[in-house]
Amino acid sequence: MILQTPKLVFPKFYAAPIFLAICLKSGADAFFEINSVKYLYFFLLLFGVFFMRTGRGFAYEKSKATGDLQSKLWVFVIIYFSFLTMLMIFQNGSPQIIFKIVSPFIFFGLVAAAADDSLPLAIAVGAALNILANACLIPLDYGWVYWGAVHTFKGFYLFKTDLSFSLSTSLLAFAAWNRYKLTPLYIVLTLLVVVQVILANSRLNYLTLAIVLVFVALKNGAKPSTMLMYGGFFAVLLGVVYVLYDSSKVLTLDTSNLGGFTQGRDRVIEVLIKYGLANYGPLELLFGRGMYADILIFMQNISDGMAHGAHNEYLYLLVTQGITGAALNLTGWILVYKISRSAGPRVWASGLTFTAFLLYLFQGLTATVSPYALKTWPIATILLLIFASQDSKEDLKPEKRKRSRWSGALAN
């Protein structure tokens, strides 16, 4: 059955608190370390519990093929929470970090169960507000920070990496809600995101933003051969600029010093492998050494006593939670993915899940993501958009289906 739900659907009274919380979520992501702002997360989750019985729930997924995915999600949350609590008791950790690691799965489950047809609009509004609010800080000192000798843009986030990842995922969410149409608003938001990500100089997120732009181009019928030609042209152009332009005072891509280029990540990875995983026994490989193990291993084996985390999601999971924790984390995302697809086929979203997780996986190469809601909740939000937004007659037109199959085939 196809529901032709208008895009500008405002929430019913019972769903208004969730609608507003979703719109403000990016602000909570950015200011999560400020104690007072953390209450927005609890506000959203608590209202999710209170209103979930009045929403549409998981009615679509209760079938012989999938079973009760909602129940499986909550059983998983209990198991993962219990596992992390045991790690905290016998190794190290804190209730706060346990909540942050498990929160995206709770967030997805509650909001999906409580959502009405206004949820896609709330996600789109929140994404646009995030992009516009950060752009307003470009002319203000508050939005900038010195990262070493380089003056970089950070918006209202604490770190430029967080800003860049948030902007890329926000643009992807808005583009998906907009069905990838090159409307004036989408073009303005894209230009603002490109400018902000360049000014932030978060090198890996040049790639995450490029993935979003290529995906939207493919959804609009661009040919891969044409995209490759454009990519080659811009690569040559950037190479010429890199050689001729002294970027030391604004942007820097100094590859002559590996430590400087990776901002010390190469050293952290070396220490965690050499003094951590290489010395782990069977139980430690299975369960890790606790949620602060990466920081402790680095401090204990480097003479200057500096505290640095793993800066790599996959190494972080293995060092802190072992194979068991990594497997549980993967299980949670698989469950959320299955629920997002359980409400029926989505022609308009072909390739979107792959693209969203690709951004997440690339971000995990240079950052620890699971303990930070500003890294995990955006992916959960995009999956919520897929769950809540059904195909319209427009989405099912032959030319739309052809483009969706093409972009989906590339993604898969």
Side-chain angles (χ1 to χ4, degrees):
M1 179 179 176
I2 301 168
L3 292 181
Q4 278 197 284
T5 303
K7 283 188 174 183
L8 297 177
V9 175
F10 292 98
K12 299 179 179 68
F13 178 76
Y14 66 76
I18 292 176
F19 184 94
L20 294 174
I22 291 291
C23 292
L24 298 173
K25 189 187 73 63
S26 294
D29 288 345
F31 294 104
F32 189 79
E33 299 306 320
I34 301 175
N35 287 329
S36 60
V37 180
K38 292 178 184 177
Y39 290 109
L40 180 59
Y41 284 88
F42 294 105
F43 170 85
L44 193 151
L45 296 178
L46 288 173
F47 270 97
V49 173
F50 186 73
F51 291 112
M52 66 185 302
R53 297 297 297 180
T54 61
R56 57 198 264 179
F58 290 82
Y60 295 104
E61 55 76 25
K62 292 182 180 178
S63 66
K64 293 180 180 179
T66 59
D68 188 350
L69 290 175
Q70 183 184 20
S71 298
K72 292 179 181 178
L73 178 63
W74 299 127
V75 169
F76 158 77
V77 168
I78 293 171
I79 292 173
Y80 198 16
F81 184 90
S82 300
F83 171 75
L84 294 176
T85 301
M86 295 302 291
L87 275 183
M88 179 183 68
I89 294 172
F90 293 106
Q91 296 284 358
N92 55 72
S94 69
Q96 182 183 32
I97 197 171
I98 293 173
F99 169 74
K100 289 201 289 184
I101 291 173
V102 179
S103 69
F105 311 114
I106 302 174
F107 164 69
F108 178 90
L110 293 178
V111 176
D116 69 354
D117 290 330
S118 69
L119 178 60
L121 175 62
I123 292 172
V125 171
L129 285 176
N130 184 40
I131 295 169
L132 293 170
N134 279 288
C136 290
L137 295 179
I138 292 178
L140 304 178
D141 289 340
Y142 178 83
W144 294 77
V145 66
Y146 275 98
W147 200 256
V150 182
H151 201 210
T152 57
F153 182 65
K154 68 172 184 62
F156 55 66
Y157 285 81
L158 187 63
F159 296 111
K160 58 181 185 176
T161 304
D162 298 336
L163 166 74
S164 298
F165 182 70
S166 177
L167 292 176
S168 294
T169 52
S170 292
L171 185 63
L172 179 61
F174 182 86
W177 173 82
N178 197 46
R179 296 301 191 263
Y180 317 105
K181 295 176 183 176
L182 302 181
T183 59
L185 179 56
Y186 169 77
I187 292 173
V188 168
L189 292 176
T190 299
L191 292 174
L192 289 175
V193 170
V194 169
V195 169
Q196 290 179 78
V197 170
I198 290 175
L199 293 176
N201 191 29
S202 176
R203 277 78 56 96
L204 186 70
N205 283 294
Y206 293 161
L207 177 59
T208 58
L209 178 56
I211 291 171
V212 174
L213 297 178
V214 168
F215 177 67
V216 174
L218 292 173
K219 281 290 191 179
N220 280 277
K223 296 180 179 179
S225 57
T226 304
M227 299 297 296
L228 287 174
M229 286 190 291
Y230 272 106
F233 170 75
F234 283 113
V236 172
L237 182 63
L238 289 173
V240 172
V241 172
Y242 176 69
V243 171
L244 298 179
Y245 175 65
D246 179 13
S247 62
S248 60
K249 299 301 181 184
V250 182
L251 304 176
T252 177
L253 290 171
D254 182 11
T255 57
S256 61
N257 182 336
L258 181 61
F261 181 72
T262 66
Q263 297 177 340
R265 287 176 173 83
D266 60 319
R267 179 59 171 154
V268 174
I269 291 173
E270 178 188 356
V271 169
L272 292 183
I273 293 176
K274 182 178 179 181
Y275 299 105
L277 291 178
N279 296 317
Y280 274 19
L283 284 178
E284 290 171 320
L285 287 173
L286 194 58
F287 301 114
R289 288 186 183 175
M291 286 167 280
Y292 298 130
D294 56 330
I295 298 174
L296 294 174
I297 290 171
F298 191 90
M299 290 179 62
Q300 291 166 357
N301 292 281
I302 298 299
S303 58
D304 60 11
M306 293 294 290
H308 292 290
H311 289 292
N312 179 285
E313 173 66 4
Y314 318 109
L315 187 57
Y316 171 80
L317 288 173
L318 290 174
V319 168
T320 61
Q321 303 168 40
I323 296 172
T324 302
L328 284 171
N329 194 273
L330 178 61
T331 300
W333 287 116
I334 291 174
L335 276 172
V336 167
Y337 162 74
K338 286 185 175 181
I339 292 173
S340 72
R341 294 177 63 88
S342 68
R346 299 286 189 262
V347 171
W348 70 267
S350 176
L352 178 59
T353 301
F354 175 86
T355 303
F357 275 111
L358 192 61
L359 302 185
Y360 186 77
L361 292 172
F362 272 115
Q363 190 68 189
L365 292 174
T366 59
T368 304
V369 293
S370 56
Y372 299 101
L374 53 85
K375 303 287 191 182
T376 57
W377 287 39
I379 304 302
T381 301
I382 291 173
L383 296 177
L384 280 168
L385 180 62
I386 294 172
F387 176 80
S389 186
Q390 298 189 47
D391 288 322
S392 66
K393 289 184 179 179
E394 177 73 18
D395 296 322
L396 295 177
K397 288 182 177 180
E399 63 272 18
K400 295 271 188 178
R401 294 180 69 90
K402 184 177 179 181
R403 291 178 184 178
S404 294
R405 283 197 298 267
W406 178 243
S407 59
L410 287 178
N412 294 326

